[in-house]
């Protein structure tokens, strides 16, 4: 880098302007190389992003569509309400086995009515096309609306995961031969039923609204509890981390004396931002669950841990945006006789607001995707019950989106791969929404000075 | 220096508004101001001149305690406003700054509307009871700052959208809206073109009727044009203080003479 102050060499003085000399050529080549590195780096990142999106979308899009078997079901009062008094307590004693039998009979009748050849498949095999969850779905419907008893309804039952996999290309005739859960003959029947219009592949709202399901019924697994749990935790993080973080940074940036203690605090906040998240999980387990006795798997504990994790990010972002407000604005406010607090709240804070909001939302987006600390506090548990409305719901067990992804990937049935990718898509949509909100807020509050 | 046009010197009032006695200012280990003794008179424009880093801005910022915000700044000696020590622990700097307004080197309007800029001071000090009174103060301040004609139709538009000279006049309007007794100006024209400078100088001369104005300036012509009294600072000391005409035509101190004739600084 000695080219700055060198006197013009004879080569430059005598050379033509049209022919660059050796030194200029070297400099230009270096610049071209640097640009090439940059373009390569950008291209590689874009490629990686495309590969990720294609693989996630390719795997996960199927989770939003599900194979349904539509059959007329007559709800027999003798089975579902043996005492005939329509008392909900009595009716609840009838288990899914009773409903299963009824569903089996309806299925056989529907297949016969459609005139589809069954090639000598047993009753059990034909009913096996239905999901094990279908009976529970029917039971839930009846308990919710006892007026259905005695009537014939068109019931849209979930198909077995293997049948669903066959229509989505996951299961083939060859793999069915080796599969104890499904036979090629059943697949043939499923295809005939599709041609007869009984089997359809349609959008499945239960994937977003329903609860998780057990290992053997992937077709019924949903994200409802996880989405709710994540939302509860985000509420807790927002309510706790934003005021605490902003107050702490305003104090440190605008009021605190600059001495050894504040330096120490500053260094430690920067360090906390770099602490691995699992450490926060252990801390939360020790303090919130073991010492304070808060319930396991509860969004309140997850929210508190994520708050601790997000606070340093928010404090750092807020301090940076406070420091970026020109001192002339503070001088102007103090000069007309504003107190320091008035100067901060009337003038500095509004100007720093876009940065604060962006920092908060980015911090929350990170917290939303955080898995490790939640595993330690038991949010990895299998939760089928929806948490109640806040504030009680903060204390009941729930799952979280990233943990649900992890959960799905741990299960043996290949149908859960699709579910996991679907959950990732939902998570990504949430993150994109939050980042979009950050950009919009930034645009709206941004003011020039 | 024949072209210097001296302001008329009708020093009707000779009461000291601000009195400084043996003022010392330290920034950490740096002794920035030494033994400053000065009486700033009422209804007078006082100019502080001197080379960069001589302490004139530091002294100006002592007068309304703006130095309080600078960490490591220590002030000794006695500074009084109307006989009251402004560094007395009982003094609330907020109240002091309402009495001693300030205009800064770079125009620094708030990123709010022109109206809100001027109304901010009266609002936080609770000077008005209703909107009509506030409107009146805003109009009066803008008129005095010679900005009313240009701004009256765009009071709701942002103050940052004005030109540099207009912004500085807006800052002056903002400073006088709280009816201060002293107006401090820290090189108010250094970021402005000659036309805007001339407008501001004219304004300063008019403001003298109500306020005691203290102006720091790098331009000796400006000091000669607008001020009745001039203080010359050099290396943290007040070298000479007196009537502007005397300082510029017949300085007692050889350093003042060297500076004014352009040999040092």
């Amino acid at each position: 880098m000695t080219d700055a102050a060198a006197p013009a060499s004879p080569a430059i003085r005598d050379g033509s302007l049209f022919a660059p000399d050796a030194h200029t050529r070297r400099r230009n080549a270096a610049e071209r190389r640097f640009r090439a590195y940059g373009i390569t780096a950008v291209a590689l990142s874009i490629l990686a992003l495309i590969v990720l999106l294609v693989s996630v979308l390719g795997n996960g899009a199927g989770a939003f569509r599900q194979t349904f078997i539509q059959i007329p079901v007559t709800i027999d009062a003798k089975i579902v309400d043996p005492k005939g008094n329509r008392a909900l307590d009595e009716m609840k004693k009838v288990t899914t086995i009773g409903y299963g039998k009824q569903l089996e009979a309806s299925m056989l009748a529907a297949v016969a009515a459609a005139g589809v050849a069954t090639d000598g498949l047993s009753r059990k095999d034909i009913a096996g096309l239905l999901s094990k969850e279908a009976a529970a779905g029917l039971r839930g419907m009846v308990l919710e609306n006892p007026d259905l008893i005695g009537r014939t309804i068109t019931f849209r039952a979930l198909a077995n995961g293997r049948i669903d996999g066959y229509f989505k290309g996951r299961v083939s005739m060859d793999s069915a031969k080796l599969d104890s859960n499904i036979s090629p003959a059943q697949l043939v029947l499923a295809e005939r039923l599709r041609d007869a219009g009984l089997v359809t592949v349609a959008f499945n709202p239960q994937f977003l609204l329903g609860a998780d399901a057990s290992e053997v019924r992937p077709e019924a697994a949903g994200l409802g509890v996880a989405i709710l749990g994540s939302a509860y935790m985000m509420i807790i993080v927002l309510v706790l981390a934003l005021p605490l973080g902003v107050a702490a940074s305003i104090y440190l940036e605008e009021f605190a004396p600059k001495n050894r203690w504040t330096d120490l605090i500053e260094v430690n906040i920067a360090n906390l931002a770099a602490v691995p998240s699992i450490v926060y999980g252990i801390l939360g387990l020790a303090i919130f669950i073991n010492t304070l006795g808060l319930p396991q798997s509860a969004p309140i504990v997850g929210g508190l841990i994520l708050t601790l994790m997000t606070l340093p990010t928010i404090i750092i972002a807020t301090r940076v945006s406070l420091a970026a407000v020109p001192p002339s604005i503070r001088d102007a406010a103090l000069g007309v006789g504003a107190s320091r607090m008035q100067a901060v709240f009337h003038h500095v804070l509004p100007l720093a607001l876009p940065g604060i909001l962006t920092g908060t939302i980015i911090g929350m987006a990170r917290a939303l995707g955080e898995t490790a600390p939640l595993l330690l506090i038991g949010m990895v548990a299998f939760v089928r019950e929806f948490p109640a409305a806040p504030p009680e719901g903060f204390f009941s067990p729930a799952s979280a989106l990233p943990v649900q992804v992890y959960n799905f990937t741990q299960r043996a049935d290949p149908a859960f791969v699709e579910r996991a990718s679907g959950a990732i898509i939902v998570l990504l949509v949430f993150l994109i929404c939050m980042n979009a909100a950050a950009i919009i807020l930034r645009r709206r509050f941004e003011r020039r000075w | 220096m024949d072209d210097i046009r001296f302001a008329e010197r009708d020093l009707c009032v000779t009461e000291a508004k601000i009195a400084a006695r043996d003022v010392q200012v330290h920034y950490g280990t740096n002794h920035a101001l030494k033994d400053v003794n000065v009486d700033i008179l009422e209804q007078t424009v006082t100019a502080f001149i001197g080379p960069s880093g001589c302490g004139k801005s530091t002294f100006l910022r002592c007068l309304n305690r703006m130095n309080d915000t600078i960490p490591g700044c220590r002030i000794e000696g006695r500074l009084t406003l109307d006989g009251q020590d402004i560094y007395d622990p009982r003094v609330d700097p907020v109240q002091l700054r309402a009495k001693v307004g300030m205009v800064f080197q770079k125009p620094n309007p708030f990123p709010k509307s022109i109206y809100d800029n001027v109304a901010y001071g009266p609002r936080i000090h609770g000077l008005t009871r209703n909107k009509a009174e506030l409107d009146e103060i805003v109009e009066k301040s803008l008129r005095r700052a010679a900005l009313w004609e240009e701004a009256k139709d765009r009071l709701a538009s942002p103050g940052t959208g004005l030109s540099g000279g207009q912004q500085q006049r807006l800052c002056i309007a903002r400073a006088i809206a709280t009816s201060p007794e002293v107006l401090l100006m820290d090189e108010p024209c250094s970021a402005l073109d000659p036309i805007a400078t001339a407008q501001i100088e004219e304004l300063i001369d008019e403001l003298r009727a109500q306020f005691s104005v203290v102006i720091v300036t790098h331009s000796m012509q400006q000091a000669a044009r607008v001020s009745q009294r001039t203080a010359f600072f050099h290396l943290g000391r007040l070298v000479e203080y007196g009537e502007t005409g005397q300082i510029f035509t017949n300085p007692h101190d050889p350093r003042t003479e060297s500076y004014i004739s352009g040999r040092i600084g």
Side-chain angles (χ1 to χ4, degrees), chain A residues 148-222:
Chain A
L148 295 175
I149 295 172
R151 300 208 339 237
T152 302
I153 56 167
T154 308
F155 182 60
R156 206 170 72 139
L158 279 170
N160 183 309
R162 292 297 195 284
I163 304 293
D164 182 51
Y166 178 64
F167 288 122
K168 287 178 184 163
R170 196 169 57 233
V171 175
S172 66
M173 288 294 176
D174 291 335
S175 73
K177 275 180 205 158
L178 307 169
D179 198 332
S180 61
N181 291 319
I182 201 90
S183 68
Q186 280 176 305
L187 293 182
V188 171
L189 176 63
E191 220 165 273
R192 285 183 191 146
L193 286 174
R194 186 187 57 182
D195 295 340
L198 287 181
V199 172
T200 49
V201 180
F203 174 68
N204 175 24
Q206 284 306 306
F207 179 60
L208 293 174
L209 305 174
D212 195 8
S214 72
E215 200 129 336
V216 292
R217 44 188 91 169
E219 65 276 5

Side-chain angles (χ1 to χ4, degrees), chain B residues 63-124:
Chain B
L63 301 182
N64 69 345
R65 293 185 58 171
M66 283 298 279
N67 281 338
D68 287 13
T69 58
I70 298 170
C73 180
R74 213 168 69 248
I75 293 150
E76 289 158 17
R78 195 174 151 78
L79 261 168
T80 56
L81 174 71
D82 294 328
Q84 292 176 311
D85 188 350
I86 63 176
Y87 281 91
D88 191 285
R90 285 170 297 177
V91 170
D92 185 346
V94 167
Q95 266 181 322
L96 172 70
R97 288 179 201 140
K99 284 189 171 194
V100 184
M102 187 155 189
V103 175
F104 296 85
Q105 182 171 2
K106 225 181 108 204
N108 55 355
F110 299 130
K112 295 175 187 257
S113 72
I114 294 174
Y115 183 93
D116 286 339
N117 261 286
V118 183
Y120 183 68
R123 268 190 194 136
I124 57 170

Side-chain angles (χ1 to χ4, degrees), chain A residues 251-325:
Chain A
Y251 177 74
L252 286 174
E253 193 64 35
E254 304 282 341
F255 294 98
K258 301 272 172 284
N259 58 27
R260 209 176 296 166
W261 291 110
T262 46
D263 282 351
L264 191 73
I265 290 172
E266 207 165 303
V267 169
N268 276 304
I269 288 173
N271 283 338
L272 281 177
V275 168
S277 57
I278 196 139
V279 177
Y280 284 100
I282 295 176
L283 178 90
L285 179 65
I287 294 179
F288 298 127
I289 295 181
N290 291 347
T291 309
L292 295 181
L294 288 170
Q296 289 184 17
S297 313
I300 182 80
V301 180
L304 286 172
I305 291 173
L306 295 181
T307 300
L308 291 182
M309 245 190 67
T310 315
L311 262 179
T313 318
I314 292 183
I315 292 178
I316 290 169
T318 305
R319 291 193 63 175
V320 168
S321 33
L322 286 175
V325 174

Side-chain angles (χ1 to χ4, degrees), chain B residues 216-228:
Chain B
V216 165
T217 176
H218 267 296
S219 153
M220 282 175 282
Q221 286 87 345
Q222 184 173 55
R225 280 193 300 263
V226 302
S227 72
Q228 284 78 50

